Amino acid sequence: MPEAILDEISHRRYNPLRGSWILVSPHRTKRPWQGQQEAASQTTLPQYDQSCYLCPGNERAQGDTNPDYTSTFVFVNDFSAVKEEQEDYRQSDDKSSLSSLLLKAESVTGKCYVVTFSPKHNLTLADLEPMEIVPVINTWTQLYTAHISPQSPLAHVAGPTTLPPSSQQASIPRSSAQYRYMQIFENKGAAMGCSNPHPHGQIWTVTGLPEEPAAELEQLIKHRREQGSNLLEDYAKLEIEKEERVVFKNDTFVAVCPWWAVWPFETMIIARQHKRALVDFDEGEKKDLAEVISDVTRRYDNLFETHFPYSMGLHQAPLEGKDAEIEASHFHIHFYPPLLRSATVRKFLVGYELMAEPQRDITPEQAAARLRNCGGTLYRNKVP
């Protein structure tokens, strides 16, 4: 067990994956709450919604019609955050000017996709059985594979693929540009800004390396260089040995509430062995990934018996990069859920968190213990 005093005193914890710190204040769990409360999640959605732009056969915002898909469905986002084609921007060559020093900018191009997880409007990842999540993982893998640089070491292990992943995606052309990074993510619930409850995620593929994965990659490379091992492989082994923050594990993955977690019930799924990206997993390991995703999302919903909101994102090797960047990368998934005390009370990152450093109340050990007690049948499927 961690030192008992850490359950009682305010203290800081170091995040080796980001090279940053977080303030932990376990005594604050006793404070009364009279602040904002979220609306309880709707739980009576229909299996098909004729007004939903993601349901099979429906018309989307830009006028295209969805096929009558039966599994996953991929399309280019109708309102992409980045453009494939645009006018280039270059700053002045005058490196000595204050503008060049302080007012930096660079153009970014890319391609954004939407991936539906199921044709059924009223399901979430928590409702899906692991074998129903495998097609989602296969779709992620196909899209990632289709964007890997031919010069990347990953290109030698990635199976051949084309866009679209299936005949249902025939309207998606291949990208002509080589992008640097692909961010696969899901925003679940209105509390996390999701505007459509139909089960879906997004994929943004861009020319630059975004800040969060870039910061992690710097630490992963540093650890590999200085220790001769892989940071997250070492960390996964340590967490399994200690068992204090483990929520679930199988042969390939472990889900933990990280030692440095910011969000109250934050979890991270980590590959137990060094895996750089989705293309490194065989079929059995993909089934294990589906199992751990299913388990974590089901525990979340069971915790407060609600459709638990979160932002979830995959971090893996860049699509294009130096060999050292690719080889130091380690596949993992972050879940950042905002709920704190109940289905209606959330954590806010404000004040000290914005001006100084992140802060949390309950310890990761306490959060992990509560999530471990939330296994079993999904609460809304239990017989009264």
Side-chain angles (χ1 to χ4, degrees):
M1 295 293 292
E3 296 185 52
I5 193 173
L6 294 184
D7 283 334
E8 303 295 333
I9 66 168
S10 54
H11 61 280
R12 298 172 82 205
R13 297 192 183 195
Y14 180 65
N15 178 353
L17 190 57
R18 290 278 282 107
S20 59
W21 291 83
I22 174 175
L23 174 66
V24 184
S25 311
H27 56 284
R28 275 168 55 91
T29 57
K30 300 180 178 66
R31 67 177 177 142
W33 182 261
Q34 294 181 313
Q36 177 177 320
Q37 297 196 26
E38 304 296 321
S41 299
Q42 184 178 356
T43 58
T44 56
L45 295 172
Q47 184 170 302
Y48 166 78
D49 183 345
Q50 63 181 4
S51 66
C52 171
Y53 59 83
L54 296 180
C55 279
N58 287 0
E59 184 177 299
R60 298 204 305 276
Q62 298 284 38
D64 293 334
T65 300
N66 297 329
D68 290 320
Y69 64 93
T70 56
S71 182
T72 61
F73 171 52
V74 181
F75 61 91
V76 177
N77 197 318
D78 295 321
F79 299 96
S80 294
V82 288
K83 300 178 180 179
E84 290 188 80
E85 302 290 341
Q86 65 181 15
E87 184 178 352
D88 195 19
Y89 170 78
R90 294 184 183 277
Q91 285 195 275
S92 168
D93 291 332
D94 183 6
K95 305 297 184 183
S96 62
S97 71
L98 280 176
S99 291
S100 296
L101 178 65
L102 302 178
L103 306 179
K104 295 182 180 180
E106 62 183 20
S107 59
V108 176
T109 57
K111 194 167 186 176
C112 299
Y113 302 92
V114 174
V115 180
T116 63
F117 300 155
S118 169
K120 296 181 179 179
H121 184 75
N122 60 338
L123 300 183
T124 68
L125 288 176
D127 294 288
L128 301 179
E129 294 296 326
M131 289 308 298
E132 296 175 298
I133 297 177
V134 169
V136 177
I137 295 169
N138 287 335
T139 301
W140 290 341
T141 305
Q142 288 172 315
L143 284 162
Y144 180 84
T145 300
H147 290 78
I148 293 174
S149 168
Q151 282 70 50
S152 171
L154 294 169
H156 302 302
V157 299
T161 189
T162 59
L163 277 180
S166 77
S167 60
Q168 291 181 336
Q169 330 303 343
S171 62
I172 300 179
R174 289 188 66 97
S175 298
S176 58
Q178 177 57 61
Y179 298 120
R180 174 88 157 104
Y181 193 79
M182 174 179 284
Q183 182 58 64
I184 300 171
F185 65 97
E186 178 198 8
N187 294 325
K188 179 189 174 189
M192 299 308 289
C194 185
S195 60
N196 189 320
H198 192 106
H200 73 285
Q202 299 185 55
I203 297 177
W204 292 12
T205 307
V206 294
T207 47
L209 185 60
E211 281 202 1
E212 189 72 15
E216 290 187 355
L217 188 54
E218 182 178 349
Q219 293 298 110
L220 291 168
I221 292 172
K222 178 183 177 183
H223 186 94
R224 188 177 175 92
R225 182 179 64 247
E226 296 179 352
Q227 305 298 326
S229 59
N230 299 296
L231 189 157
L232 284 179
E233 187 175 13
D234 290 346
Y235 179 64
K237 180 179 179 181
L238 181 64
E239 288 287 27
I240 290 171
E241 288 175 354
K242 290 184 173 295
E243 297 185 335
E244 297 151 358
R245 288 165 294 277
V246 172
V247 175
F248 176 81
K249 68 178 184 293
N250 57 26
D251 290 342
T252 311
F253 298 94
V254 60
V256 304
C257 291
W259 169 262
W260 55 82
V262 172
W263 296 96
F265 293 96
E266 177 180 331
T267 58
M268 183 164 63
I269 296 172
I270 312 168
R272 295 175 62 172
Q273 303 298 319
H274 185 221
K275 302 289 184 177
R276 302 162 296 180
L278 284 163
V279 295
D280 282 336
F281 296 117
D282 61 29
E283 296 307 309
E285 290 166 336
K286 289 178 184 176
K287 292 178 181 178
D288 282 351
L289 179 56
E291 181 186 37
V292 70
I293 290 173
S294 173
D295 185 89
V296 168
T297 54
R298 187 172 64 251
R299 288 176 191 273
Y300 275 155
D301 280 17
N302 283 348
L303 180 63
F304 296 133
E305 295 194 348
T306 189
H307 285 283
F308 203 90
Y310 57 72
S311 279
M312 174 270 283
L314 283 61
H315 281 176
Q316 55 188 326
L319 299 168
E320 180 181 52
K322 299 176 182 177
D323 285 4
E325 293 179 324
I326 305 299
E327 296 305 328
S329 297
H330 190 104
F331 181 92
H332 59 287
I333 302 178
H334 293 285
F335 281 85
Y336 297 149
L339 296 186
L340 173 59
R341 300 181 179 208
S342 68
T344 60
V345 176
R346 65 172 295 174
K347 164 76 174 178
F348 292 91
L349 292 180
V350 296
Y352 190 87
E353 289 95 342
L354 290 178
M355 306 300 170
E357 68 184 11
Q359 179 270 341
R360 66 177 291 123
D361 292 347
I362 65 171
T363 66
E365 295 77 31
Q366 293 167 336
R370 292 183 64 178
L371 287 172
R372 281 196 297 270
N373 291 330
C374 293
T377 303
L378 187 63
Y379 77 92
R380 51 185 170 269
N381 292 338
K382 292 181 180 178
V383 178

